[in-house]
Amino acid sequence: MVFALGFALFALGITISIALHECGHMWAAQATGMKVRRYFIGFGPKIFSFRRGETEYGLKALPLGGFCDIAGMTALDELEPEEVDRAMYRQSTWKRLVVMFGGIAMNFLLGFLLLVVLAVGWGLPQLEQPPATALGTMSCVADETPENTLAPCTGDGPAQRAGLQRGDVVKAVNDVEVSTWAQFQAETQKQNGPFTYTIERDGQTLIVPVTPERVLRSPKEGPAREVGAVGVGPDFAEPQQYGVLAAIPATVSFTGDFFLETVKSLAKMPQKVSALWEAVTGGERDPETPVSVYGASRIGGETAERGLWGMFILVLASLNFFLGAFNLLPLLPLDGGHIAVVIYEKIRDTLRGLRGKAPAGPVDYLKLLPVTYVVVVIGGAFMVLTLAADIVNPITLGP
């Protein structure tokens, strides 16, 4: 029940984020004197609508986005006689740029506000995290109960008895190199007798012998099985919480670093196609691969189920930063594509003016349609692949 509630709340958060993106365009257009004909949340059949002033507002059946219909967004748009002077493509460059950046700015603003809430309520995470195989909290090894929970235990665990310390970075398990926590865990669980960890500690490489304990664990699929365990979890930097006043500058600083990480993730998207295909065809899902709306909502449901509301807010904030950064790409039909067209027209007409020529007409969008179709097809295929991976092999929060 809590999972379903979290799933629905996160899906609602995505819908609100997209709706506010379109509000950013609409409010900027209205503020600069353009005519907004329609503002709808969703696509498909109309559920209801109402008119206020010259704009029709409404809701459609499929809450998969939204749209803002601005008169004369391109020269291809059919206009009523009274709309000609207010057509968007006829407005000055700065007005058109304000409108196109309005939606992007709204996503960044919403992401920032969510991070402020996170800073005050739960704390901002540390972006510089320890290496993936750094050892964290150590404890005794608990047996698994029939309800798939861990029973209470006391005393030191194998990791503590072996002299391992928090911050040790494991490089190999019994001479098998590991670079992720999943690999470390899988190799450790294979051990049924004394073995060694190759670790790095304070710039030194050490070989540490460890004797595991055998316990029952339930994998994602199949019956419970006996595995080796040493009683250790991954290391991580604790989030830092702030007061209301201190949260603003702290969030500004965090947002700059967070945005850079978002841009890096966006740049890696083409490289993730093979990883997504591998996940769909039965391979291990890379946790750094993109997720669809369904996959993000599923993660939201898991965070709610575990009471990790801080992570819930962080994931929603990161989604807004990603939407803003993605829309900056200079590709039609994204906002960045329209921005690129506006800037091109300004540069072109400025150069024509220096040569004593009159400004040229608007860019012919018909000539750009083939490129637009290619972007839509490739983007659609990527979305379908991501959705398939989220259904067949979803990203989870782990045990």
Side-chain angles (χ1 to χ4, degrees):
M1 181 63 184
V2 178
F3 174 86
L5 175 63
F7 186 100
L9 281 176
F10 199 90
L12 177 62
I14 295 174
T15 301
I16 292 173
S17 298
I18 296 174
L20 287 175
H21 175 97
E22 296 301 325
C23 277
H25 292 311
M26 177 179 68
W27 291 334
Q30 291 172 336
T32 52
M34 301 179 199
K35 179 179 179 180
V36 179
R37 296 162 171 162
R38 295 180 297 160
Y39 170 82
F40 272 79
I41 298 174
F43 294 100
K46 180 169 69 175
I47 297 178
F48 74 87
S49 71
F50 62 92
R51 181 169 293 277
R52 179 170 295 175
E54 61 187 9
T55 305
E56 180 186 9
Y57 302 86
L59 178 68
K60 297 204 170 190
L62 302 176
L64 301 176
F67 65 92
C68 169
D69 178 16
I70 303 171
M73 188 169 179
T74 73
L76 299 178
D77 198 359
E78 293 186 6
L79 299 170
E80 298 294 331
E82 67 274 10
E83 295 175 338
V84 173
D85 290 338
R86 299 173 65 192
M88 181 174 173
Y89 76 89
R90 294 171 62 93
Q91 306 304 307
S92 60
T93 300
W94 74 267
K95 289 184 178 182
R96 296 167 68 189
L97 290 178
V98 165
V99 172
M100 296 317 305
F101 275 112
I104 296 169
M106 187 62 69
N107 282 129
F108 289 149
L109 176 61
L110 182 56
F112 178 80
L113 293 177
L114 287 169
L115 289 179
V116 171
V117 172
L118 181 67
V120 175
W122 293 270
L124 293 175
Q126 304 298 314
L127 294 178
E128 290 294 331
Q129 289 291 330
T133 56
L135 303 182
T137 304
M138 301 180 191
S139 67
C140 53
V141 175
D143 289 316
E144 190 174 80
T145 67
E147 292 79 26
N148 292 335
T149 60
L150 297 180
C153 65
T154 58
D156 291 341
Q160 293 164 304
R161 293 195 295 267
L164 292 168
Q165 302 174 12
R166 180 170 186 169
D168 289 344
V169 180
V170 178
K171 293 296 185 179
V173 180
N174 241 16
D175 296 327
V176 177
E177 292 186 3
V178 293
S179 58
T180 67
W181 189 259
Q183 292 172 347
F184 165 82
Q185 192 174 46
E187 291 301 322
T188 297
Q189 289 182 348
K190 293 178 183 178
Q191 311 305 320
N192 55 15
F195 68 101
T196 61
Y197 284 138
T198 303
I199 67 167
E200 282 189 359
R201 177 190 298 169
D202 298 328
Q204 294 183 319
T205 299
L206 305 174
I207 306 296
V208 180
V210 187
T211 301
E213 295 181 19
R214 302 292 291 179
V215 293
L216 287 177
R217 291 288 185 266
S218 298
K220 292 181 182 179
E221 298 179 358
R225 57 189 177 88
E226 191 178 64
V227 299
V230 298
V232 67
D235 195 13
F236 64 94
E238 295 284 351
Q240 187 170 354
Q241 200 166 359
Y242 298 88
V244 176
L245 294 179
I248 303 299
T251 304
V252 169
S253 176
F254 179 84
T255 298
D257 296 334
F258 196 57
F259 181 74
L260 288 177
E261 294 299 319
T262 301
V263 172
K264 290 177 183 177
S265 298
L266 187 61
K268 293 178 182 177
M269 279 185 63
Q271 304 171 20
K272 299 298 182 180
V273 173
S274 60
L276 285 169
W277 180 254
E278 183 179 350
V280 171
T281 54
E284 182 180 349
R285 179 72 183 269
D286 180 354
E288 295 187 0
T289 48
V291 294
S292 63
V293 171
Y294 167 79
S297 299
R298 194 181 189 284
I299 293 172
E302 284 195 43
T303 59
E305 189 175 41
R306 301 187 186 194
L308 303 174
W309 291 105
M311 183 178 292
F312 182 98
I313 292 174
L314 178 63
V315 175
L316 189 56
S318 67
L319 177 71
N320 273 277
F321 280 106
F322 181 83
L323 284 174
F326 184 73
N327 269 289
L328 280 173
L329 293 176
L331 300 170
L332 290 170
L334 302 177
D335 294 339
H338 293 286
I339 291 170
V341 169
V342 173
I343 293 174
Y344 165 77
E345 288 181 350
K346 180 63 176 178
I347 294 173
R348 178 202 62 188
D349 290 343
T350 299
L351 294 176
R352 288 176 64 89
L354 293 175
R355 297 197 301 267
K357 296 182 178 180
V363 164
D364 186 355
Y365 271 79
L366 286 175
K367 294 180 179 179
L368 298 176
L369 280 180
V371 178
T372 304
Y373 289 147
V374 170
V375 173
V376 169
V377 170
I378 293 176
F382 188 83
M383 291 174 62
V384 170
L385 180 61
T386 304
L387 177 61
D390 287 334
I391 295 173
V392 175
N393 195 352
I395 294 174
T396 64
L397 299 182

